[in-house]
Amino acid sequence: MNVNFLITLPNHDDTTHYLSAWSKEIIKIANDFSLKVFDLSGEKANRKEFESKIKSLSPKLVMLNGHGDKDIVMGHRNEILIKAGENDDLLKLKIVYALSCSSAKILGLESVKKGALNYTGYLDDFIFMYEPNLFSRPNLDKTAGLFLSPSNVFIESLIKGNSVKESFERSRKAIIKNFNKSASTSECDPTISRFLWWNLRNFSSQGNMNVSIKD
């Protein structure tokens, strides 16, 4: 598929370290499916680079990793990359996934009004837990995987050409599966299942649910 895929990978604290590490598999799958991947890693995940690349490349698919709030998503060292009412028009004609706290609440809504094909993200905090002893090897962290693997399911499904609706449902099912797994295991920290349910409740997709990168 002749599709450009832009992904931001800030890496300056525990949260962004994990998000970036778990996104490596996403990039691998995108390459396997012949998408043209443009990753803004570390310090490159800044507003100037983001605006430049999104204007010049017109990516069909955009994934935003990083901290956020109701109307913003941030990049490296929490520099605001995109903000509702300022530059959300940059998402016009794009399918967007934001693995970021709360941004679906206002930024998602406003970007769809400005012409984004779809904006999927979270209406409140996205929460995950991890094992500190595996911080240097985050991809081996099974606790973090309970949260981040279902997130990857969504974007990987889109990369394979499935619709937003199908990808969204697959991701939801993966969250529910991990919730049931953690809730039924007495050895598992009950906080895990509580946070998985929280993420499920706040997982939101706005705009055209039938669109795919093949359209």
Side-chain angles (χ1 to χ4, degrees):
M1 290 181 285
N2 187 25
V3 173
N4 288 349
F5 172 36
L6 180 65
I7 180 170
T8 65
L9 300 167
N11 190 352
H12 59 273
D13 61 11
D14 292 6
T15 297
T16 53
H17 171 67
Y18 264 79
L19 299 189
S20 292
W22 277 79
S23 290
K24 290 180 179 178
E25 183 63 23
I26 294 169
I27 292 173
K28 180 180 181 298
I29 290 174
N31 284 323
D32 289 345
F33 278 79
S34 299
L35 272 67
K36 295 181 180 178
V37 181
F38 300 90
D39 60 292
L40 299 181
S41 302
E43 294 181 356
K44 290 183 178 179
N46 61 70
R47 185 161 177 159
K48 183 179 179 180
E49 284 282 342
F50 175 75
E51 291 188 340
S52 174
K53 289 292 187 290
I54 207 165
K55 288 175 182 177
S56 63
L57 301 172
S58 297
K60 182 69 174 288
L61 182 62
V62 176
M63 182 174 180
L64 304 169
N65 285 294
H67 294 288
D69 208 331
K70 292 178 288 187
D71 61 342
I72 60 172
V73 175
M74 295 179 277
H76 195 63
R77 301 203 181 281
N78 295 335
E79 179 179 357
I80 295 174
L81 300 185
I82 191 155
K83 182 174 182 177
E86 282 192 8
N87 61 350
D88 49 344
D89 59 314
L90 292 173
L91 301 181
K92 185 177 181 180
L93 300 179
K94 292 162 181 54
I95 299 170
V96 183
Y97 176 46
L99 185 51
S100 179
C101 292
S102 308
S103 71
K105 192 160 190 175
I106 294 178
L107 177 59
L109 183 65
E110 292 302 314
S111 64
V112 168
K113 288 180 181 178
K114 296 282 182 65
L117 297 175
N118 181 275
Y119 189 105
T120 299
Y122 299 85
L123 296 169
D124 210 315
D125 291 348
F126 174 83
I127 302 174
F128 72 94
M129 297 172 64
Y130 66 91
E131 300 173 40
N133 61 310
L134 290 173
F135 184 78
S136 63
R137 297 172 292 165
N139 294 94
L140 299 180
D141 190 333
K142 293 182 179 180
T143 297
L146 291 170
F147 300 89
L148 298 177
S149 181
S151 170
N152 279 10
V153 165
F154 176 74
I155 192 73
E156 289 171 4
S157 180
L158 287 178
I159 287 168
K160 294 173 182 177
N162 296 307
S163 69
V164 172
K165 182 178 181 179
E166 184 174 0
S167 302
F168 187 73
E169 287 305 315
R170 286 184 178 186
S171 186
R172 281 178 51 86
K173 286 178 181 178
I175 299 172
I176 292 169
K177 179 181 178 180
N178 286 350
F179 168 80
N180 289 334
K181 178 182 177 181
S182 61
S184 62
T185 305
S186 59
E187 298 175 358
C188 200
D189 184 341
T191 308
I192 292 175
S193 56
R194 186 163 70 248
F195 285 163
L196 283 166
W197 191 253
W198 171 270
N199 290 343
L200 180 68
R201 287 180 55 198
N202 287 291
F203 193 34
S204 173
S205 190
Q206 303 171 51
N208 185 353
M209 296 288 287
N210 295 315
V211 71
S212 78
I213 64 171
K214 296 187 295 184
D215 297 332

